[in-house]
Amino acid sequence: MVRASYRRPRRFRAPPRCYVPPPLSPPTAHDKPLTPLGNEPEFGGGAEELRPGTWAWIQPNGDLGESNAGLIVGDGASILVDTLWDERLTRRMLDAFTDARAGAPITHLVNTHGDGDHWYGNALLGEAEIVATEEAAAQMASEPPTMITRMRPLTTAIEGARRIPLLPGKARMRGLSAFAGMLDRYEHDGLEPRLPTRTFQETTTVEAGGRSVEVIEVGPAHTPGDAIVWAADARVVFSGDIVFSGVTPIMWAGPAANWVAALERIVELEPAAVVPGHGPVCDLERVHELIGYWKYLIRSVPAGAADAIVELTEELVRGVEYRTSPWGEWRAPERTLVNVAMISREREGETGPIGMPKRLDLLSGMGALGERLR
């Protein structure tokens, strides 16, 4: 049996009214604080009480490192869901929760997965028990903050190379340089975050002050060890990065079918509110949109596409179906390039997370695509 391979499409010409993400206003003097990346906030952020004693911490605009967290307050003890990408941001969140957790110190912390923007602030939680899946704990041990600080010389090298006339691949260099520049908005020097003190597989229960939450393993999907936190008494799900709200998701592990199954697990719980890993608090309508996005990509990426990932992604993102679907309005559509590459990889029989060299290559391609889309 001969397998048909994907043919590189002819150069796609964008229609005149293609979707372009809304421009970000430059920083100006105003009353509203800027986002961690220095942009104007496009939706409200900070502490948001969803139900009595059940809080979300939201960071606009949900871009790189602008992650969310949550707090479940019981009688004399509290549970925190995730910390943030550095201690400065985590301390700001904890200070904002001072009144909410008065008389109920944080005794337990759940890290929903192993990406640094959800656990690099762990050192500020003192002796609290830290809970994560076994796979997430393994990722956390292998990806400390020094992994990011070691990238800084790369930024200098890229900037120097970009000044060489006629150098091939300058658009991809600009994309990687832009990514590195965003990393510089965070304070990773000297961080020594605490690793999980309790790990689990499948499900576990965390109790504090009469409040009980179920932590459910749903990975691998976004990362190898994703979990969601279900506060049944408040009907609130803290989804980690299984849900991106109004922001295009990005898949570093997969398979995509597992991500769909994780989203369907959230639907089965019938929550009244979902606290996403990035973006504003949402309901199940957004979860259904995400299911539609992943099913669309799964059927749109054929076997044999590995040599034409950029062309295929741009064809999809500029296409009518993408632009007229709910995900056509999400921030950062260039992230679809990573998702297309990962699904293509699945088609070739490869599974599991990818290494840092391949991740950097995809980030550079993503950045270059983002420039063209804007």
Side-chain angles (χ1 to χ4, degrees), residues 113-184:
H113 60 289
D115 282 353
D117 56 338
H118 293 261
W119 73 277
Y120 279 0
N122 279 10
L124 298 183
L125 270 295
E127 298 302 315
E129 179 182 59
I130 303 177
V131 181
T133 67
E134 288 185 5
E135 289 291 341
Q139 179 189 351
M140 293 158 76
S142 66
E143 297 182 5
T146 52
M147 181 187 72
I148 293 177
T149 57
R150 286 197 299 263
M151 291 179 61
R152 285 182 182 156
L154 178 63
T155 308
T156 303
I158 293 171
E159 287 300 316
R162 283 174 53 188
R163 297 188 181 95
I164 301 174
L166 304 180
L167 184 71
K170 292 185 75 170
R172 292 174 70 88
M173 286 186 180
R174 285 196 300 272
L176 192 54
S177 179
F179 170 74
M182 287 190 284
L183 293 180
D184 286 342

Side-chain angles (χ1 to χ4, degrees), residues 208-251:
R211 301 287 301 273
S212 177
V213 300
E214 185 180 9
V215 190
I216 306 167
E217 184 174 25
V218 293
H222 171 65
T223 65
D226 302 296
I228 61 175
V229 178
W230 171 229
D233 60 352
R235 296 186 58 218
V236 173
V237 165
F238 298 87
S239 71
D241 281 0
I242 292 300
V243 176
F244 285 68
S245 179
V247 184
T248 306
I250 190 166
M251 181 168 65

Side-chain angles (χ1 to χ4, degrees), residues 43-60 68-73 93 96-97 100 236 238 272-276 279-283:
F43 52 85
E48 182 177 345
E49 189 168 25
L50 307 175
R51 295 289 185 276
T54 305
W55 295 77
W57 177 259
I58 304 298
Q59 292 194 107
N68 299 332
L71 180 70
I72 298 103
V73 182
M93 173 182 69
F97 279 146
V236 173
F238 298 87
V274 177
V275 179
V281 175
C282 59
D283 57 20

Side-chain angles (χ1 to χ4, degrees), residues 320-338:
V320 173
E321 183 175 1
Y322 193 106
R323 293 184 293 107
T324 57
S325 297
W327 45 90
E329 299 180 356
W330 296 348
R331 295 178 62 83
E334 64 271 14
R335 293 181 177 185
T336 295
L337 183 143
V338 176

Side-chain angles (χ1 to χ4, degrees), residues 59-102:
Q59 292 194 107
N61 289 317
D63 289 325
L64 180 72
E66 295 174 343
S67 55
N68 299 332
L71 180 70
I72 298 103
V73 182
D75 183 10
S78 299
I79 303 167
L80 185 69
V81 180
D82 284 332
T83 57
L84 308 178
W85 213 4
D86 63 27
E87 292 184 0
R88 169 183 54 99
L89 294 173
T90 302
R91 187 174 292 107
R92 183 180 70 171
M93 173 182 69
L94 295 175
D95 288 347
F97 279 146
T98 297
D99 291 340
R101 59 190 176 96

